[in-house]
Amino acid sequence: MPTADCRLVHHGRIMRCLTFLLLLPETLKKSKKLPGSRLPLCYEILTLSLTTSNKKQKRKMAAELYPAANTENTNLANGTTVADTEKSKAAQVNQAGGSGGGAGGGCCSGGAAATTPTTQQNINNNNVDPPSWQCSHPTLRERNALMFNNELMADVHFIVGPMGESQKVPAHKYVLAVGSSVFCAMFYGDLAEEESEIHIPDVEPAAFLILLKYMYSDEIDLEADTVLATLYAAKKYIVPALAKACVTFLETSLEAKNACVLLSQSRLFEEPELTQRCWEVIDAQAELALRSEGFCEIDLQTLEIILRRETLNTKEVVVFEAVMNWAAAECKRQGLGPTTHNKRDVLGKALFLVRIPSMSLEEFANGAAQSDILTLEETHNMFLWYTAAKKPELDFPLTARKGLLPQRCHRFQSSAYRSNQWRYRGRCDSIQFAVDKRIFIAGLGLYGSSGGKAEYSVKIELKRQGVTLAQNLTKFVSDGSSSTFSVWFEHPVQVEQDAFYTVSAVLDGNELSYFGQEGMTEVQCGKVTFQFQCSSDSTNGTGVQGGQIPELVFYA
């Protein structure tokens, strides 16, 4: 074999050597198989060169396929294997994922694990590396939820809240744009934001996080303290499903103490259904609503709308006192002293929406006349209006409010009396009921004496699941007829739909009374359906089919 041709291999002329190899005699190839035989030097040099060249070529191809190999090359140079490098990446991903959202760290390593030769070798050997966070969260919703409030891959930040109370919130444009047309226009529209930080001073941080959590995971966590702010955020960024959930939450938590505030907000957010619900509560429980702290927090326009309301079910003296409380609170909000002059200024024309002439003379003399809110001329004219035959003209509405007309649900088809019943010795008559829509129980209708005029003392009570909601101890006088006689709670009590309540009456009187017969388990009264069932509290014989408590008096 010519040695000159072998030197060509050493100088990198591989192709000519390959040609030379193909021309080797058959005996040379056989000599490789013989034990103890040694190949010619040129063959060994050729084999070594080819092996070295192949390794370099593979490394070059790997570097082109995996750009991240720069750091790996360094590790390899220091004695770290590719597998060790991959495990180190996975550890960093798991550590990042466990610190607050774990969303992310594994996104890059997960991709590398799917493509690196080491991972492929592990798969072939059925020896796969530990799963990433993506594997442990199989659904898109779960994986997406991990990215909520997570810095990993965040491409925008929001500075939420007023200056000094703001909070920095990381987010991902794509997720927000998919969930809100406002965000879509903000990030991908013709006038897209290019800033990496966006300031939102008019939204509370807690409400903004609730908004984002819904957009990332469909989860809605509402609380009484933040639901109004969340509704504002949902309206601002046009997320109707979250806004509807907020309204539903407000409707279920609606009561007299917050009805006026929610009325103001429902008008602001243009939620007519919530507005109607608020009016139902304010009308039926007007005294409680007007005396609540929330009433003093409403805006002037809402105050005027309430004062124009014909169906407020309360005395006008209560309305006047509420207006004075609101005026004092408004002076404080504006940094003014609570003087008579300042109160009249902040009230403006709202003062003349109070129907002072509908008060009794005694109520006016003990209240409005001594409040100093009226001028001397106004006070003088009011007294003349009450007492003089020729009445002066007044700047206040003269007619009383209509209020609400109570409705009555009668559960018996007939009534009767016998010589040995219905007798009262301090025992309890009780019945359970449920309704299919919200109402306000105002009192009970009871049977009276069957033997002529008589007086009874009575304690009435309304409970739900053993908890007393209202009670009243009073007296009533019956005239001997089979008519029912109303006994009232101090304030109407809100009763929710599809829940059973217990009403009871403990009467004390010497005379026998009428009692009901042919009781009905279901009664339709206007738009409200009542259902009745026996109560275990009843110890005097009252049940569904007969007994006392023939009527429930309510507003709806």
Side-chain angles (χ1 to χ4, degrees):
M1 182 184 304
T3 58
D5 291 338
C6 293
R7 291 193 189 99
L8 293 176
V9 176
H10 183 69
H11 292 292
R13 299 172 184 173
I14 297 173
M15 295 303 299
R16 295 183 64 182
C17 291
L18 287 173
T19 304
F20 176 81
L21 179 62
L22 293 174
L23 298 176
L24 285 175
E26 189 67 19
T27 54
L28 182 60
K29 294 181 182 179
K30 291 181 180 180
S31 65
K32 182 179 179 182
K33 301 179 182 179
L34 296 177
S37 62
R38 181 179 177 85
L39 292 174
L41 179 61
C42 64
Y43 189 89
E44 293 179 0
I45 293 173
L46 175 62
T47 304
L48 178 62
S49 299
L50 289 173
T51 303
T52 303
S53 176
N54 286 339
K55 286 183 177 180
K56 290 181 179 179
Q57 195 170 13
K58 286 180 179 180
R59 287 180 183 176
K60 182 177 180 182
M61 291 173 62
E64 294 174 352
L65 288 173
Y66 310 109
N70 293 334
T71 56
E72 295 176 5
N73 291 339
T74 304
N75 292 334
L76 291 172
N78 295 331
T80 304
T81 65
V82 174
D84 291 337
T85 303
E86 294 299 325
K87 290 178 181 179
S88 176
K89 286 182 180 179
Q92 293 174 4
V93 168
N94 293 335
Q95 183 177 3
S99 65
C107 70
C108 296
S109 64
T115 55
T116 57
T118 303
T119 304
Q120 185 63 45
Q121 182 179 0
N122 287 340
I123 293 174
N124 293 338
N125 294 336
N126 295 322
N127 182 24
V128 183
D129 288 338
S132 62
W133 61 267
Q134 291 97 328
C135 298
S136 60
H137 296 83
T139 67
L140 175 62
R141 178 179 174 274
E142 291 175 339
R143 294 191 296 273
N144 218 33
L146 290 177
M147 303 303 290
F148 162 64
N149 200 20
N150 196 328
E151 286 286 354
L152 181 71
M153 294 187 287
D155 53 0
V156 66
H157 290 80
F158 295 94
I159 309 300
V160 187
M163 187 175 297
E165 301 177 7
S166 60
Q167 180 178 339
K168 189 175 182 179
V169 179
H172 308 79
K173 293 181 179 180
Y174 168 75
V175 177
L176 271 58
V178 168
S180 163
S181 59
V182 175
F183 283 124
C184 184
M186 182 185 296
F187 298 133
Y188 301 107
D190 295 336
L191 302 176
E193 290 278 356
E194 297 181 358
E195 299 293 331
S196 60
E197 290 187 353
I198 298 174
H199 292 261
I200 307 177
D202 60 327
V203 177
E204 293 182 11
F208 192 75
L209 287 173
I210 293 172
L211 172 71
L212 260 59
K213 185 173 184 179
Y214 169 73
M215 298 177 73
Y216 276 83
S217 65
D218 283 343
E219 295 180 12
I220 300 177
D221 296 326
L222 298 176
E223 298 179 0
D225 295 339
T226 57
V227 64
L228 284 174
T230 304
L231 178 58
Y232 173 76
K235 288 282 187 176
K236 177 176 181 177
Y237 293 105
I238 313 180
V239 185
L242 180 59
K244 184 177 181 180
C246 292
V247 171
T248 301
F249 182 92
L250 291 171
E251 288 179 353
T252 57
S253 60
L254 179 62
E255 51 187 347
K257 66 181 181 181
N258 63 12
C260 294
V261 173
L262 294 183
L263 175 67
S264 177
Q265 297 297 322
S266 66
R267 292 178 56 254
L268 175 65
F269 298 134
E270 298 180 347
E271 289 290 342
E273 291 184 7
L274 179 58
T275 300
Q276 180 58 35
R277 295 280 189 177
C278 292
W279 279 128
E280 291 174 3
V281 175
I282 294 171
D283 284 341
Q285 298 180 303
E287 184 172 347
L288 293 175
L290 296 180
R291 286 180 172 171
S292 67
E293 293 182 3
F295 178 80
C296 295
E297 299 174 4
I298 62 177
D299 58 279
L300 178 60
Q301 187 177 6
T302 302
L303 173 68
E304 293 176 354
I305 293 174
I306 293 176
L307 295 180
R308 290 190 179 96
R309 189 78 173 173
E310 281 285 340
T311 48
L312 291 180
N313 197 42
T314 189
K315 295 181 177 180
E316 199 65 25
V317 65
V318 174
V319 176
F320 177 80
E321 292 171 356
V323 169
M324 293 300 99
N325 292 334
W326 183 91
E330 183 64 17
C331 287
K332 185 176 180 180
R333 282 191 289 269
Q334 296 186 19
L336 304 173
T339 63
T340 300
H341 175 75
N342 290 337
K343 288 181 180 179
R344 284 186 69 109
D345 281 348
V346 298
L347 282 170
K349 64 181 181 180
L351 175 62
F352 300 97
L353 296 175
V354 181
R355 306 186 184 192
I356 295 178
S358 67
M359 300 180 188
S360 67
L361 175 58
E362 183 179 1
E363 289 172 339
F364 172 74
N366 293 329
Q370 300 185 40
S371 66
D372 294 332
I373 195 68
L374 303 178
T375 65
L376 288 177
E377 183 181 359
E378 289 168 344
T379 304
H380 178 261
N381 288 339
M382 280 300 308
F383 274 116
L384 290 178
W385 192 89
Y386 281 113
T387 58
K390 184 179 180 181
K391 301 183 183 301
E393 292 186 2
L394 299 177
D395 294 327
F396 300 91
L398 303 181
T399 57
R401 302 178 193 274
K402 295 179 180 179
L404 292 177
L405 183 65
Q407 301 182 52
R408 299 175 183 271
C409 175
H410 198 92
R411 66 188 190 92
F412 295 126
Q413 299 182 65
S414 64
S415 62
Y417 70 92
R418 296 172 190 164
S419 60
N420 61 345
Q421 59 179 332
W422 208 261
R423 195 180 297 274
Y424 303 101
R425 295 174 181 171
R427 292 192 292 257
C428 179
D429 290 287
S430 182
I431 194 71
Q432 288 190 328
F433 73 95
V435 290
D436 62 349
K437 64 174 295 185
R438 175 187 289 156
I439 64 170
F440 300 87
I441 292 292
L444 307 178
L446 302 176
Y447 286 122
S449 170
S450 59
K453 184 177 180 179
E455 182 181 76
Y456 294 90
S457 63
V458 58
K459 178 184 178 182
I460 59 174
E461 191 173 48
L462 175 65
K463 296 190 296 185
R464 180 181 179 182
Q465 297 179 345
V467 178
T468 300
L469 303 178
Q471 62 181 10
N472 193 23
L473 181 61
T474 186
K475 295 181 179 181
F476 73 94
V477 177
S478 66
D479 58 6
S481 70
S482 60
S483 302
T484 59
F485 300 89
S486 298
V487 182
W488 305 90
F489 291 109
E490 185 178 0
H491 301 289
V493 184
Q494 182 170 301
V495 169
E496 300 296 339
Q497 65 184 38
D498 302 328
F500 273 96
Y501 292 77
T502 303
V503 287
S504 60
V506 179
L507 285 85
D508 190 10
N510 295 326
E511 298 293 333
L512 298 176
S513 79
Y514 288 90
F515 62 92
Q517 297 183 131
E518 300 178 275
M520 297 174 286
T521 58
E522 184 173 304
V523 179
Q524 185 74 31
C525 189
K527 296 181 179 180
V528 184
T529 301
F530 287 79
Q531 291 183 336
F532 294 96
Q533 65 182 25
C534 295
S535 169
S536 59
D537 294 342
S538 188
T539 58
N540 200 42
T542 292
V544 174
Q545 297 300 320
Q548 256 287 11
I549 315 180
E551 286 182 342
L552 300 181
V553 186
F554 67 99
Y555 301 113

